[in-house]
């Protein structure tokens, strides 16, 4: 589904090279996890895939179902089925959460040539999905992410994901700032979305999220490359021994 | 002068280039820039006593009205154009303007809308303004009740017609053009005209006193709640013509009215002058809501053409517990010079001012309000949202003054500026004077720019850049949009989007 080949990326601002040849393939229906120390390029990878400004791709490609992502606008990537759950969801004062969500859903439908959802249909679907994530009506009325707790913000990201029904979901440190209960809620939300036609790329520092969202494949990233790939046991190894041994192995 | 501060904020680098381009693309997308081809009768170009006499005669005015105009004209000739605003424009040649323009078909003074030239009616239809006495279905969720809105349509120098007059008359409400009011209700007009904005008030107001040609008159009798929204739509069509309308609203004790004003003009390469005066008199326990959606032609992206808008609006809360609420959405005009004000004379009277001012390309706006607290326990609230894009300069200028007798009075001011791009400017100039020890004045101001992170967040969810900008800006304006009557809130919301999107061709 997602195929990244030899991806090289530097910062536009100061030419600092962040990704130095990332190769990664995520098959449909699978959950891949990327772990790695701070500064290894994990978040950059998620931003570059979703089309954030400020990065320059100097080499390589990233395709979703065979279509080159890197040449598309961010909204085109979204309409093509890519979704990024932000590490730090952005606040938009004055814009109701419900309005935001409906605008997003209908923008994607429009881009794909589908009919927009009526207000009534939309409400029905949103209520159902919000309930599963314990998001109440009051939270849907509040401005997007403004004054939300860490847990509320992350649950809201998962709600957006559930409503937009993307093919390829990238979760950027969705576990950061969550207590155990909130993490469980978020993980349940993600697990409910697992399906044959959908793949996940879960970026995390810690094994604990992977206790709840069981990965099929685990990659270790360091210094802008994937240095090791294995099964779920790789995450446990990191949890127990840290990254030092793995890094030494490669060098 | 108590306190005077000024700050100019320059935007840092790093604003998304495409955002700037998107905003630039909106130039030339003004929706109402077409012209009605119609035979127009002009008074000779230029301004002198004869022109003043001619306007008065055309309107069939009594002698006192003419004398009043002539006195104003004599005074105006000795006045100087104010230059204290943060506005930069070439000198206006007041002799190079037409001061009176009227569609020829209006010569016969049509008795009802059925007799009005179909071309004129079609103009308003094209603008989306209902001149038939029809129910207006509000396009708003949760409101399926049809609502009526009465309209007075002013085309260049004359009022074309007023709807729902009969129904309003039954309620005792007078809603007609000011020229008609001068003829039909001279006592009321003479009593209140110039009592809020005196002849000597300022250069542009004095000019208006001399040459105003038409406008609206509203009178709400004691204890009456006006049965429908009232609105006036101003359209400048003729070239090189100034529009000088005059609006007078009188709300007697315990009455209520909500009034809306809308404005558009065709695209012209030359600048056109608009100098209006609005006076509102509010007596004991009465309340007036005055909402403006100002969408005059703003000029092209190089600042060619567009309306010069110099407007004096003032409400006098004469009665105890009287209340006024100004709401304005200013998206048009090359130059905006406008400070809708509240004189809080009656005890416990209240004034509110909610404003959205959008300036793009070469537009310049210097706008705000004056809250003059004279009575005890008076309250005022100011919420101003300024949005600057392109090379535009947007200034909030506001005065809050607490007089010695205005004991225990309060003001709260909130001024927020939003910048799009790195070549525009936002300025906040609050003047605060407090002359007693029991009053309280609060002022809060923020300046921010449309944040790249917000835009990226929206776009990563599937919205294109235009939608994203519109969403963020509408969020920024929300408090003010909510203050508008429901029907117009929708209109204003899409106008905000159009002003910044360029999505309408």
């Amino acid at each position: 589904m997602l195929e990244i080949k030899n991806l090289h990326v530097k910062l536009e601002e100061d030419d600092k090279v962040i990704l130095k040849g990332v190769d990664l393939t995520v098959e449909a229906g699978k959950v891949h996890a990327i772990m790695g120390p701070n500064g290894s390029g994990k978040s950059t990878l998620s931003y570059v895939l979703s089309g954030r400004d400020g990065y320059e791709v100097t080499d390589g490609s990233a395709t979703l179902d065979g279509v080159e992502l890197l040449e598309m606008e961010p909204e085109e990537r979204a309409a093509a089925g890519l979704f990024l759950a932000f590490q730090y969801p952005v606040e938009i004062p004055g814009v109701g959460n419900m309005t935001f969500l409906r605008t997003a859903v209908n923008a994607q439908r429009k881009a794909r040539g589908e009919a927009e959802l009526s207000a009534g249909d939309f409400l029905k679907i949103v209520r159902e999905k919000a309930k599963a994530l314990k998001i109440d009506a009051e939270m849907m009325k509040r401005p997007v992410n403004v004054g939300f707790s860490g847990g509320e913000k992350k649950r809201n990201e998962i709600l957006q994901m559930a409503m937009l029904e993307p093919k390829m979901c990238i979760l950027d440190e969705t576990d950061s700032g969550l207590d155990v209960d909130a993490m469980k809620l978020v993980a349940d939300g993600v697990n409910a979305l697992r399906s044959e036609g959908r793949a996940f790329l879960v970026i995390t520092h810690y094994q604990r999220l992977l206790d709840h969202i069981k990965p099929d494949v685990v990659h270790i990233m360091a210094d802008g490359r994937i240095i090791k790939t294995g099964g779920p046991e790789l995450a446990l190894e990191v949890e127990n021994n840290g990254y030092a041994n793995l890094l030494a192995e490669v060098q | 002068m108590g306190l005077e501060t000024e700050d100019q904020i320059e935007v840092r680098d790093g604003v998304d280039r495409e955002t700037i381009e998107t905003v630039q693309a909106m130039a030339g997308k003004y929706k109402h820039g077409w012209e009605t081809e119609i035979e127009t009768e002009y008074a000779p170009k230029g301004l002198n006593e004869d022109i003043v006499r001619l306007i008065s005669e055309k309107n069939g005015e009594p002698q006192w009205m003419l004398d009043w105009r002539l006195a104003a004209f004599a005074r105006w000739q000795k006045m100087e154009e104010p230059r204290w605003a943060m506005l930069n424009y070439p000198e206006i040649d007041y002799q190079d303007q037409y001061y009176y323009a009227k569609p020829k078909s209006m010569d016969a003074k049509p008795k009802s809308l059925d007799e009005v030239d179909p071309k004129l009616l079609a103009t308003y239809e094209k603008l989306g303004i209902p001149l038939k006495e029809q129910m207006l279905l509000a396009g708003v969720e949760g409101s399926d009740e049809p609502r009526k809105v009465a309209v007075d349509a002013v085309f260049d120098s004359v009022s074309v017609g007023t709807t729902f007059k009969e129904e309003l008359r039954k309620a005792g409400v007078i809603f007609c053009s000011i020229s008609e009011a001068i003829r039909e209700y001279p006592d009321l007009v003479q009593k209140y005209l110039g009592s809020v904005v005196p002849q000597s008030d300022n250069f542009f107001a004095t000019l208006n006193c001399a040459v105003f040609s038409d406008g609206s008159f509203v009178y709400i009798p004691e204890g009456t709640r006006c049965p429908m929204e009232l609105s006036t739509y101003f359209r400048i069509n003729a070239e090189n013509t100034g529009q000088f309308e005059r609006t007078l609203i009188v709300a007697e004790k315990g009455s209520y009215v909500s009034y809306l004003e809308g404005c558009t003009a065709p695209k012209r390469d030359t600048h056109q002058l608009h100098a209006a005066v609005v006076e509102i008199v509010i007596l004991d326990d009465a309340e007036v809501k005055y909402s403006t959606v100002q969408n005059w032609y703003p000029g092209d992206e190089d600042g060619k053409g567009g309306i010069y808008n110099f407007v004096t609006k003032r409400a006098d809360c004469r009665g105890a517990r009287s209340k006024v609420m100004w709401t304005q959405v200013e998206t048009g005009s090359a130059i905006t010079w406008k400070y809708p004000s509240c004189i809080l004379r009656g005890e416990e009277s209240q004034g509110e001012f909610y404003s959205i001012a959008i300036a793009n390309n070469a537009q310049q706006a210097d706008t705000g309000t004056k809250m003059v607290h004279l009575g005890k326990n008076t309250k005022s609230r100011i919420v101003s949202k300024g949005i600057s894009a392109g090379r535009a300069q947007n200034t909030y200028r506001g005065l809050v003054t607490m007089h010695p007798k205005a004991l225990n009075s309060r003001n709260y001011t909130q001024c927020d500026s939003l910048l799009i791009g790195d070549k525009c400017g936002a300025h906040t100039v609050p003047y605060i004077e407090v002359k007693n020890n029991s009053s309280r004045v609060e002022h809060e101001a923020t300046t921010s720019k449309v944040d790249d992170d917000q835009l990226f967040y929206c776009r990563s969810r599937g919205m294109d850049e235009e939608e994203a900008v519109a969403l963020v800006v509408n969020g920024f304006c929300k408090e003010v949009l909510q203050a508008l009557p429901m029907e117009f809130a929708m209109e204003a919301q899409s106008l905000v989007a159009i002003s910044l999107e360029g999505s309408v061709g």
Side-chain angles (χ1 to χ4, degrees):
Chain A
M1 176 169 279
L2 178 69
E3 209 167 353
I4 303 169
K5 281 184 189 159
N6 193 33
L7 186 61
H8 287 72
V9 171
K10 63 174 187 178
L11 288 181
E12 258 174 15
E13 226 168 63
D14 55 5
D15 283 348
K16 190 180 172 200
V17 179
I18 311 280
L19 299 184
K20 302 170 179 170
V22 174
D23 287 288
L24 180 68
T25 303
V26 182
E27 310 81 14
K30 302 288 187 200
V31 174
H32 285 227
I34 297 187
M35 301 179 76
N38 288 329
S40 58
K42 304 186 302 292
S43 285
T44 296
L45 178 64
S46 70
Y47 284 142
V48 169
L49 289 174
S50 52
R52 187 186 172 127
D53 276 337
Y55 302 99
E56 190 186 332
V57 176
T58 51
D59 200 3
S61 72
T63 56
L64 183 63
D65 285 340
V67 183
E68 181 58 66
L69 282 174
L70 301 177
E71 283 162 14
M72 293 185 198
E73 296 294 332
E75 60 271 24
E76 292 168 338
R77 301 179 199 208
L82 186 79
F83 181 91
L84 169 64
F86 281 53
Q87 182 181 1
Y88 303 108
V90 180
E91 298 183 0
I92 309 182
V95 177
N97 208 19
M98 190 75 93
T99 305
F100 178 82
L101 202 48
R102 203 168 95 196
T103 311
V105 167
N106 281 334
Q108 290 202 16
R109 293 179 74 98
K110 219 164 95 188
R112 290 193 293 256
E114 299 163 12
E116 293 188 7
L117 276 184
S118 74
D121 287 346
F122 174 82
L123 260 177
K124 221 170 109 187
I125 301 171
V126 116
R127 276 193 190 131
E128 195 182 302
K129 300 200 171 185
K131 201 174 155 193
L133 288 158
K134 299 213 166 121
I135 293 175
D136 58 17
E138 192 267 330
M139 189 168 144
M140 294 308 296
K141 280 187 200 152
R142 278 152 60 189
V144 181
N145 292 320
V146 178
F148 284 26
S149 70
E152 285 174 330
K153 281 184 182 172
K154 297 300 171 78
R155 261 148 56 204
N156 201 36
E157 293 290 289
I158 304 303
L159 175 64
Q160 291 175 10
M161 190 162 91
M163 287 302 296
L164 293 167
E165 302 185 317
K167 286 193 278 199
M168 182 68 230
C169 309
I170 304 171
L171 279 66
D172 187 8
E173 302 202 17
T174 296
D175 50 336
S176 67
L178 294 190
D179 59 32
V180 182
D181 294 333
M183 187 152 62
K184 176 108 186 12
L185 212 55
V186 164
D188 288 348
V190 171
N191 288 329
L193 288 171
R194 288 178 78 155
S195 75
E196 273 182 24
R198 184 171 289 142
F200 291 85
L201 188 60
V202 181
I203 295 171
T204 180
H205 274 293
Y206 305 106
Q207 149 71 20
R208 56 175 197 166
L209 179 67
L210 304 179
D211 287 339
H212 301 286
I213 305 172
K214 298 258 188 289
D216 299 297
V217 182
V218 175
H219 308 274
I220 307 297
M221 194 165 179
D223 193 27
R225 285 185 199 89
I226 304 284
I227 57 163
K228 190 161 186 177
T229 296
E233 73 286 348
L234 191 53
L236 287 170
E237 192 188 324
V238 169
E239 183 75 0
N240 295 331
N241 306 328
Y243 292 110
N245 290 347
L246 287 168
L247 290 175
E249 229 173 83
V250 184
Q251 279 153 9
Chain B
M1 194 60 44
L3 174 74
E4 181 177 340
T5 61
E6 197 206 318
D7 47 71
Q8 175 164 3
I9 296 96
E10 301 236 311
V11 188
R12 286 169 294 136
D13 294 341
V15 172
D16 191 317
R17 196 155 171 80
E18 281 173 67
T19 310
I20 298 168
E21 280 162 12
T22 306
V23 169
Q24 278 165 351
M26 103 189 199
K29 304 247 166 131
Y30 183 66
K31 195 173 144 192
H32 304 301
W34 41 272
E35 174 183 356
T36 308
E37 279 190 34
I38 201 159
E39 270 196 276
T40 304
E41 180 195 341
Y42 292 96
K45 222 178 202 179
L47 185 54
N48 52 48
E49 249 190 53
D50 289 344
I51 295 289
V52 175
R53 285 177 197 280
L54 179 119
I55 293 168
S56 183
E57 193 196 312
K58 287 275 177 198
N59 284 349
E61 288 172 355
Q63 185 63 37
W64 63 264
M65 193 65 242
L66 174 63
D67 294 343
W68 196 74
R69 287 176 180 276
L70 290 172
F73 182 66
R75 189 185 281 274
W76 180 74
Q77 284 175 300
K78 294 184 203 119
M79 292 170 95
E80 275 187 37
E81 194 177 323
R83 284 287 181 172
W84 42 259
M86 200 173 290
L87 299 170
N88 188 8
Y89 56 93
E91 199 150 321
I92 299 169
D93 183 353
Y94 290 90
Q95 295 305 331
D96 192 31
Q97 304 261 341
Y98 292 104
Y99 287 83
Y100 187 80
K102 169 168 101 166
K104 272 200 172 151
S105 60
M106 291 301 290
D107 264 352
K109 292 216 166 82
K111 285 189 188 64
S112 76
L113 277 166
D114 301 336
E115 294 174 17
V116 170
D117 185 346
K119 265 192 196 165
L120 284 175
L121 296 181
T123 301
Y124 287 92
E125 197 168 64
K126 202 167 163 187
L127 290 168
I129 297 154
L131 279 192
K132 284 183 192 139
E133 299 199 347
Q134 66 207 9
M135 303 293 246
L136 198 72
L137 266 175
V140 186
E141 277 173 55
S143 127
D144 40 7
E145 231 176 89
R147 309 234 298 202
K148 286 177 188 169
V149 177
V151 178
D152 182 24
V154 177
F155 193 91
D156 292 332
S157 301
V158 294
S159 168
V160 170
T162 311
T163 63
F164 288 111
K165 258 174 143 170
E166 266 318 298
E167 195 170 334
L168 288 167
R169 196 168 292 159
K170 273 179 207 152
V173 172
I174 302 171
F175 180 40
C176 64
S177 70
I178 190 108
S179 56
E180 187 182 334
I182 291 167
R183 292 191 300 268
E184 306 289 325
Y185 312 99
D187 295 347
L188 276 177
V189 175
Q190 207 169 359
K191 182 170 175 190
Y192 292 109
L193 190 75
S195 74
V196 184
V197 179
Q199 251 187 13
S200 56
D201 195 79
N202 70 73
F203 182 84
F204 296 107
T206 307
L207 174 63
N208 175 285
C209 291
V211 300
F212 79 86
S213 43
D214 222 331
S216 300
F217 175 71
V218 175
Y219 178 80
I220 315 288
E222 189 169 337
T224 303
R225 193 181 167 88
C226 187
M228 64 185 84
E229 308 253 357
L230 305 183
S231 69
T232 301
Y233 272 87
F234 296 103
R235 174 78 175 169
I236 299 181
N237 191 62
E239 208 161 352
N240 281 328
T241 302
Q243 192 174 42
F244 306 91
E245 82 267 2
R246 183 118 195 160
T247 299
L248 176 60
I249 299 174
V250 179
E252 290 278 9
K253 287 180 184 172
S255 66
Y256 168 87
V257 65
S258 168
Y259 181 91
L260 181 108
E261 171 204 304
C263 330
T264 59
K267 284 185 190 177
R268 303 269 188 214
D269 288 346
T270 50
H271 295 291
Q272 283 178 282
L273 184 61
H274 175 255
V277 171
V278 175
E279 295 181 276
I280 307 179
V281 178
I282 310 169
L283 300 176
D284 290 0
D285 301 296
E287 182 179 349
V288 175
K289 282 187 185 167
Y290 192 106
S291 315
T292 307
V293 176
Q294 188 263 105
N295 186 21
W296 293 121
Y297 176 53
D300 69 8
E301 70 233 71
D302 300 320
K304 204 172 177 195
I307 303 289
Y308 285 172
N309 194 30
F310 296 96
V311 172
T312 305
K313 293 183 168 183
R314 196 171 302 154
D316 188 351
C317 287
R318 261 173 224 182
R321 297 164 305 277
S322 58
K323 194 175 168 188
V324 65
M325 181 167 142
W326 293 104
T327 308
Q328 61 170 17
V329 180
E330 304 282 309
T331 65
S333 294
I335 299 279
T336 300
W337 181 99
K338 183 180 169 190
Y339 316 90
S341 306
C342 305
I343 312 291
L344 302 171
R345 200 184 301 271
E347 285 186 14
E348 290 175 50
S349 60
Q350 287 181 44
E352 291 177 16
F353 174 77
Y354 295 90
S355 170
I356 297 170
I358 300 181
N360 191 7
N361 294 313
Q363 279 179 271
Q364 302 173 63
D366 193 304
T367 183
T369 185
K370 286 191 271 186
M371 293 292 176
V372 180
H373 291 255
L374 300 176
K376 272 185 223 161
N377 302 313
T378 48
K379 269 192 218 161
S380 66
R381 181 183 174 85
I382 299 169
V383 178
S384 163
K385 305 275 181 178
I387 297 139
S388 321
R391 287 168 291 126
Q393 295 297 327
N394 204 335
T395 303
Y396 167 81
R397 188 182 301 275
L399 168 73
V400 176
T401 144
M402 300 288 183
H403 280 243
K405 287 178 183 164
L407 299 172
N408 298 311
S409 294
R410 281 184 175 193
N411 160 265
Y412 171 75
T413 300
Q414 184 192 331
C415 266
D416 299 322
S417 304
L418 186 70
L419 301 165
I420 303 175
D422 56 4
K423 293 193 178 63
C424 54
H427 317 268
T428 304
V429 191
Y431 303 86
I432 300 168
E433 301 172 0
V434 181
K435 292 174 185 157
N436 68 59
N437 287 327
S438 59
S439 292
R440 206 164 87 193
V441 176
E442 289 173 73
H443 182 96
E444 285 180 25
T446 66
T447 301
S448 53
K449 64 189 186 76
V450 167
D451 184 54
D452 287 346
D453 286 340
Q454 288 175 335
L455 294 185
F456 175 63
Y457 190 62
C458 294
R459 294 179 74 188
S460 77
R461 299 302 182 248
M463 295 169 220
D464 63 32
E465 187 157 33
E466 293 184 347
E467 271 179 301
V469 170
L471 193 80
V472 171
V473 172
N474 267 313
F476 173 77
C477 300
K478 192 177 186 186
E479 268 175 283
V480 177
L481 290 171
Q482 280 175 335
L484 285 170
M486 227 195 304
E487 296 86 341
F488 305 121
M490 301 296 284
E491 185 186 326
Q493 198 170 340
S494 60
L495 189 59
V496 167
I498 289 165
S499 299
L500 290 165
E501 264 183 41
S503 65
V504 172

